[in-house]
Amino acid sequence: MILIIAGSSDSYQIISALKEKQKRIIASVTTDYGQELIKEKFEIPVIKKRMDTKALIDLIKSQKITQIIDATHPFADKISKNAIKAAQQTEITYLRFERQELKLDTKLTAQAKIIRVASYQEAAFKAKDFEKIFLTTGSKNINIFINEITNYKQRLFLRIMAFPAFIKKILAAGISPANLVAAKGPFSKEFNQAMFKEYQADVIITKASGKTGGLKTKIEAAAALGLTVILIERPKIDYPKVFNTVDNLIEYIID
């Protein structure tokens, strides 16, 4: 049995490819949306739960799992670390699918005003120097920005996925509905540009999520408007074995 720790669009491609190879699969997710999508599209068992190392070890033993494929978002470092430990302790194979980092071309780099930071906390600290801040990093770490930015109710604007739980969390934190955009990306350069302009943003905060995360079009839109981009770099994890393409991953598993 192969456990796929899902949570990104890449994970759906991996599930589809393994289904074609008639591999036995079980998936784990953390959202209702992810659970419903996988069940409906692939008809495989799906567990919706945030799992620590112990919970993963229990699942490995109960389901007789022999391989873990970690296809979570590049910034979901906590679950990745838990999965590596669980695989080591149960002596099974851990494979990481890591979407490729976006290599910005020289022309765009020259046009864009990019400030690279190593954490959400550093991003929030840098953002204080700007008046209107457009956040595209999701709802998970919103409290870091709220705690760091004065008058955040007037200065902070967010774009998040349209999940009721995410929207409820943001509204409970004191963000006005007028400052919130709920939509599922990735988006085109034109869409981003129109949105940044509409909210009169001075700075955009985003993550180095890669091409499939829509990073390039965000930077292109910001550059066209002369806006600064605060770019949060990926967490650094020493993965035992990493694949950057689905084909290479599947070939390794089949062989």
Side-chain angles (χ1 to χ4, degrees):
M1 178 76 78
I2 299 173
L3 169 63
I4 299 180
I5 307 178
S8 65
S9 56
D10 310 304
S11 59
Y12 307 137
Q13 297 178 44
I14 294 168
I15 292 172
S16 178
L18 289 174
K19 283 274 289 181
E20 287 183 9
K21 300 297 182 181
Q22 299 184 330
K23 292 292 184 179
R24 295 177 63 233
I25 312 166
I26 184 170
S28 73
V29 296
T30 58
T31 66
D32 291 330
Y33 173 77
Q35 184 180 42
E36 291 169 9
L37 190 152
I38 293 175
K39 275 188 173 181
E40 180 181 325
K41 190 171 182 179
F42 301 108
E43 297 181 345
I44 64 171
V46 187
I47 299 168
K48 196 203 90 169
K49 183 180 180 182
R50 293 188 181 277
M51 290 187 280
D52 58 15
T53 302
K54 183 182 182 303
L56 281 166
I57 289 173
D58 291 341
L59 179 63
I60 289 166
K61 292 179 178 178
S62 66
Q63 297 296 322
K64 295 182 172 57
I65 291 165
T66 57
Q67 290 181 316
I68 292 177
I69 299 175
D70 178 4
T72 54
H73 192 277
F75 282 79
D77 55 324
K78 189 172 183 180
I79 181 60
S80 292
K81 291 174 182 177
N82 289 340
I84 292 170
K85 288 179 184 177
Q88 290 172 341
Q89 292 180 29
T90 55
E91 298 182 334
I92 67 170
T93 302
Y94 169 94
L95 304 175
R96 169 63 175 167
F97 179 84
E98 181 84 329
R99 62 172 63 162
Q100 291 183 322
E101 292 196 59
L102 177 65
K103 302 297 182 184
L104 299 174
D105 62 62
T106 306
K107 184 177 179 181
L108 181 57
T109 303
Q111 291 174 339
K113 304 172 186 176
I114 301 176
I115 300 174
R116 297 178 183 271
V117 298
S119 66
Y120 290 91
Q121 189 65 52
E122 188 181 356
F125 181 79
K126 295 286 186 182
K128 292 193 300 183
D129 295 334
F130 299 87
E131 182 58 29
K132 291 191 176 181
I133 303 153
F134 199 104
L135 192 63
T136 68
T137 57
S139 63
K140 186 177 180 181
N141 294 283
I142 184 62
N143 287 334
I144 293 175
F145 295 93
I146 286 175
N147 294 336
E148 191 70 45
I149 297 167
T150 57
N151 300 324
Y152 72 88
K153 292 184 180 181
Q154 288 74 44
R155 299 172 60 198
L156 193 59
F157 302 85
L158 290 90
R159 185 169 71 200
I160 62 172
M161 293 188 72
F163 295 151
F166 294 172
I167 296 171
K168 184 178 179 181
K169 177 181 179 180
I170 295 299
L171 296 178
I175 301 294
S176 167
N179 291 24
L180 177 63
V181 179
K184 184 180 183 303
F187 305 99
S188 66
K189 171 191 171 182
E190 292 74 20
F191 185 93
N192 281 318
Q193 190 171 335
M195 190 167 294
F196 299 160
K197 187 175 181 180
E198 176 68 24
Y199 285 90
Q200 301 178 331
D202 297 303
V203 63
I204 311 303
I205 302 179
T206 187
K207 299 179 289 189
S209 52
K211 184 177 180 179
T212 54
L215 176 59
K216 185 179 181 182
T217 55
K218 291 179 193 177
I219 294 176
E220 287 175 337
L225 295 170
L227 307 179
T228 298
V229 176
I230 297 176
L231 180 63
I232 305 172
E233 301 282 14
R234 293 184 182 184
K236 302 301 180 184
I237 299 178
D238 186 17
Y239 297 112
K241 197 164 189 65
V242 184
F243 297 87
N244 297 125
T245 70
V246 174
D247 287 344
N248 287 346
L249 172 64
I250 300 304
E251 183 180 347
Y252 179 86
I253 294 171
I254 300 304
D255 288 348

